[in-house]
RNA sequence: GGAGGGCUCGCCUAGUGGCCGAUGGCGGCGGUCUUGAAAACCGCUAGGGGUGGUGACACUCCUCGUGGGUUCGAAUCCCACGCCCUCCGCCA
């Protein structure tokens, strides 16, 4: 949810943001009208209510005919107050709907347009020359690292087993991510992955993403698609000390239904229903958010450097930001078998949008509560195994292990085909 | 699965129909005292909304888990729901 006061002061900023996203400007005006209507309703109610309280105070002192008259008047008033209160409730509901419907204002500088209008900020690392690259699944199967056949047998399509060095590589990768995060002052967190509806709602994943989310009907709980959800909701309703940003590194499994992606990326483990991830999450003051965002990006790039894979950084266009983000940078790793870059990290600056929903605040210099800013960014996921295997493959199907990961596979620098 | 108990301002707690937005303690902050500290004493210490003002601020309304009901009037009475806790059983 965006700041309504800001919206009243400068509705054109919101309209411009909507245009950049390729979304309706009418949503802005709807919200403005709903805001206005609510304030009018509130004022009507308050006037009546004040009168009711005033007369009510006279009641104990009154007696006889005076009391009877008072009673008659207050009785009438009571009905009016109740009607006015109902009107306020209705206006508030309408406002909330309009409020939820409007996405975050984009950060100045974010590219305008849709999915394909991203801007490449830089390409980093040398793409390897591999004449006939094997894809990650073939490599993974030869190494006995990835087993999608049995994944499908046991759980269905888009499920897999990581076995042997596959399991070790993933654990090592995530461990490496946690170690780096801790080194930079993050608090490592292993959060719950089942959350209540309000936690899911608060983080904005029940809007456009609702069909992406697994819901456990019997218990009315949701499986999280990222630890961003339990990390953001961790401080819901709290007033934090944000002299310094508060940083968490969440380690969790993530679950996604991948509804509507039938036939897309069906081979291997690029797009799966369940994977593991280490996610950075920051709470900070709004004025710190921009710099914090760049720090998160830098930490992502540091991790990519550690596993020695070529990548590029893109500045995601406004129309592809999702409702919460004001700006988003993705790192895309080079995938030799596909001859293109694929997303492996994503860092979003949600400014105060998410925190406002979750009611997460801090105290400013004057001691007044203000809405905090939240940011998130990927530090490692199962998907990283793809560029790691593919970029480091050798003609015989063996795979070189990046130095940083060697300790996690028994010190080996090469993983050899099994059998 | 069964049976109980509880939800009040950071924490604990008082409050059974108007004088309660709410008592007291702890903690926190500020001050007095002290060379300094402790102790003692004094003061301050929830959040949100609306209106007015450039502003410090002023006035006002809402909030005692949530929603409804009774009543002229509800933290207090009634109903429903939610959440937390304890015990028993079962499973790990």
């Amino acid at each position: 949810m965006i700041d309504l006061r800001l919206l009243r002061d400068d509705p054109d900023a919101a309209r411009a943001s909507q245009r950049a996203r390729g979304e309706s400007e009418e949503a802005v005006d709807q919200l403005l009208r709903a805001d206005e209507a609510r304030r009018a309703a509130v004022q009507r109610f308050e006037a009546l209510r004040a009168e009711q309280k005033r007369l009510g105070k006279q009641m104990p002192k009154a007696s006889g005919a005076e009391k009877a008259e008072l009673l008659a008047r207050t009785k009438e008033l009571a009905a009016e107050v109740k009607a006015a209160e109902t009107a306020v409730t209705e206006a508030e509901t309408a406002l909330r709907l309009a409020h939820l419907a409007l996405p975050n204002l984009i950060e100045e500088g974010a590219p305008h347009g849709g999915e394909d209008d991203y801007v490449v900020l830089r390409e980093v690392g040398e793409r390897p020359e591999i004449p006939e690259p094997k894809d990650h699944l073939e490599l993974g199967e030869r190494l006995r690292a990835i087993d999608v056949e049995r994944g499908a047998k046991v759980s269905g399509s888009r499920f897999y087993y990581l076995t042997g060095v596959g399991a070790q590589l993933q654990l090592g990768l995530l461990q490496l991510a946690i170690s780096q995060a801790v080194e930079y002052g993050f608090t490592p967190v292993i959060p719950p992955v089942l959350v209540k509806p309000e936690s899911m709602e608060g983080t904005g994943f029940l809007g456009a993403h609702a069909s992406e989310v697994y819901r456990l009907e019997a218990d009315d709980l949701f499986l999280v698609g990222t630890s961003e959800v339990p990390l953001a909701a961790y401080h819901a309703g709290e007033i934090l000390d944000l002299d310094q940003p508060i940083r968490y590194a969440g380690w969790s499994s993530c679950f996604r239904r991948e509804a509507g992606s039938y036939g897309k990326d069906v081979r291997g483990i690029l797009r799966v229903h369940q994977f593991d991830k280490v996610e950075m999450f920051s709470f900070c003051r709004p004025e710190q958010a921009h710099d914090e965002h760049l720090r998160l990006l830098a930490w992502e790039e540091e991790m990519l450097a550690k596993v020695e894979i070529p990548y590029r950084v893109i500045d995601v266009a406004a129309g592809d930001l999702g409702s919460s983000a004001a700006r988003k940078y993705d790192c895309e790793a080079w995938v030799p078998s596909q001859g293109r870059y694929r997303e492996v990290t994503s860092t979003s600056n949600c400014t105060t949008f998410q925190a406002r929903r979750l009611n997460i605040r801090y105290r400013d210099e004057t001691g007044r509560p203000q809405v905090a800013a939240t940011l998130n960014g990927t530090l490692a996921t199962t998907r990283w195994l793809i560029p790691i295997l593919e970029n480091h493959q050798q003609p015989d199907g063996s795979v070189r292990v990046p130095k940083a990961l060697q300790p996690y596979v028994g010190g080996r620098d090469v993983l050899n085909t099994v059998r």
Side-chain angles (χ1 to χ4, degrees):
Chain A
M1 295 193 277
I2 67 160
D3 185 345
L4 283 181
R5 285 170 205 215
L6 225 92
L7 177 74
R8 281 176 217 154
D9 291 346
D10 188 6
D12 282 334
R15 293 193 186 100
S17 173
Q18 285 296 89
R19 271 198 303 281
R21 285 174 174 271
E23 291 186 39
S24 134
E25 289 181 53
E26 174 55 22
V28 174
D29 294 289
Q30 267 176 21
L31 180 53
L32 280 169
R33 280 196 297 273
D35 176 46
E36 183 110 27
R38 179 188 143 270
R39 276 146 66 209
V42 163
Q43 281 174 51
R44 269 195 300 279
F45 164 73
E46 286 189 3
L48 289 167
R49 178 68 177 152
E51 174 74 356
Q52 184 185 38
K53 285 177 80 165
R54 199 176 62 76
L55 293 182
K57 283 213 172 79
Q58 298 173 14
M59 192 63 70
K61 294 176 241 158
S63 61
E66 196 187 348
K67 183 155 194 163
E69 193 188 325
L70 248 185
L71 249 171
R73 281 187 62 198
T74 48
K75 217 159 194 165
E76 235 172 86
L77 247 186
E80 288 177 46
V81 166
K82 182 173 280 186
E85 190 172 16
T86 304
V88 168
T89 306
E90 280 167 7
E92 276 172 350
T93 303
L95 174 63
R96 183 172 170 77
L97 286 178
H99 206 173
L100 289 172
L102 194 70
N104 201 359
L105 300 194
I106 63 164
E107 184 180 282
E108 176 144 7
H112 292 199
E115 196 177 347
D116 301 323
D117 295 313
Y118 59 83
V119 170
V120 177
L121 296 180
R122 55 185 165 275
E123 299 194 27
V124 180
E126 196 96 348
R127 294 191 221 160
E129 287 298 328
I130 306 172
E132 280 175 48
K134 299 174 178 58
D135 77 6
H136 74 277
L137 183 56
E138 185 176 350
L139 291 165
E141 285 176 339
R142 285 162 171 254
L143 297 175
R144 296 274 196 278
I146 301 173
D147 186 340
V148 294
E149 264 181 53
R150 292 195 176 90
K153 176 178 77 178
V154 173
S155 300
S157 69
R158 296 200 193 281
F159 285 96
Y160 58 94
Y161 284 76
L162 294 181
T163 57
V165 293
Q168 282 184 297
L169 270 181
Q170 165 158 309
L171 285 169
L173 181 65
L174 298 177
Q175 194 72 253
L176 193 63
I178 287 286
S179 299
Q180 177 183 306
V182 169
E183 187 187 323
Y184 288 114
F186 285 74
T187 301
V189 176
I190 297 176
V193 294
L194 281 168
V195 300
K196 298 190 216 171
E198 63 250 47
S199 302
M200 211 60 178
E201 174 88 66
T203 42
F205 282 91
L206 286 188
H209 292 290
S211 65
E212 262 305 290
V213 174
Y214 283 104
R215 169 153 183 247
L216 301 195
E217 181 92 39
D219 301 284
D220 202 18
L221 288 170
F222 293 92
L223 275 165
V224 300
T226 162
S227 57
E228 177 189 343
V229 173
L231 289 177
Y234 188 55
H235 286 306
E238 299 180 18
I239 298 179
L240 307 173
D241 177 1
L242 285 183
D243 289 343
Q244 295 293 315
I246 297 178
R247 301 188 178 109
Y248 297 108
W251 171 319
S252 82
S253 291
C254 305
F255 302 89
R256 302 190 179 177
R257 295 187 63 229
E258 295 299 342
S261 67
Y262 309 109
K264 222 196 278 179
D265 299 320
V266 286
R267 187 173 158 81
I269 59 169
L270 186 72
R271 190 180 293 275
V272 290
H273 289 309
Q274 177 187 336
F275 59 93
D276 287 70
K277 181 163 72 143
V278 170
E279 174 91 347
M280 299 180 281
F281 197 93
S282 294
F283 299 90
C284 68
R285 294 167 175 247
E287 65 270 21
Q288 302 169 325
H290 176 82
D291 289 347
E292 181 73 356
H293 197 195
L294 296 180
R295 278 190 289 269
L296 293 184
L297 178 58
W299 285 321
E300 293 180 350
E301 293 193 61
E302 188 171 332
M303 267 303 291
L304 286 163
K306 282 178 184 164
V307 296
E308 301 168 30
I309 51 185
Y311 64 94
R312 68 178 186 182
V313 182
I314 68 167
D315 193 348
V316 175
D320 202 21
L321 286 176
S323 64
S324 298
R327 189 94 183 250
K328 185 193 278 189
Y329 302 111
D330 285 358
C331 292
E332 300 182 321
W334 179 250
V335 178
S337 68
Q338 300 191 359
R340 61 176 176 136
Y341 290 98
R342 300 300 304 251
E343 176 186 332
V344 286
T345 73
S346 183
T347 178
S348 295
N349 178 1
C350 295
T351 61
T352 60
F353 188 87
Q354 194 174 52
R356 188 167 288 107
R357 281 187 173 198
L358 290 165
N359 193 25
I360 300 169
R361 294 170 294 172
Y362 68 97
R363 290 190 191 280
D364 65 16
E365 295 68 24
T366 69
R368 233 177 290 250
Q370 302 286 353
V371 180
T374 61
L375 304 97
N376 61 78
T378 318
L379 218 43
T381 74
T382 301
R383 188 183 269 184
W384 284 39
L385 296 177
I386 297 169
I388 289 172
L389 291 177
E390 292 199 14
N391 283 288
H392 300 315
Q393 67 178 292
Q394 304 183 71
D396 65 352
S398 65
V399 172
R400 200 174 57 74
V401 182
K403 199 164 181 56
L405 288 177
Q406 289 174 10
Y408 302 101
V409 287
R412 278 178 284 182
D413 56 0
V414 174
L415 303 175
N416 286 303
T417 299
V418 175
R419 101 204 190 104

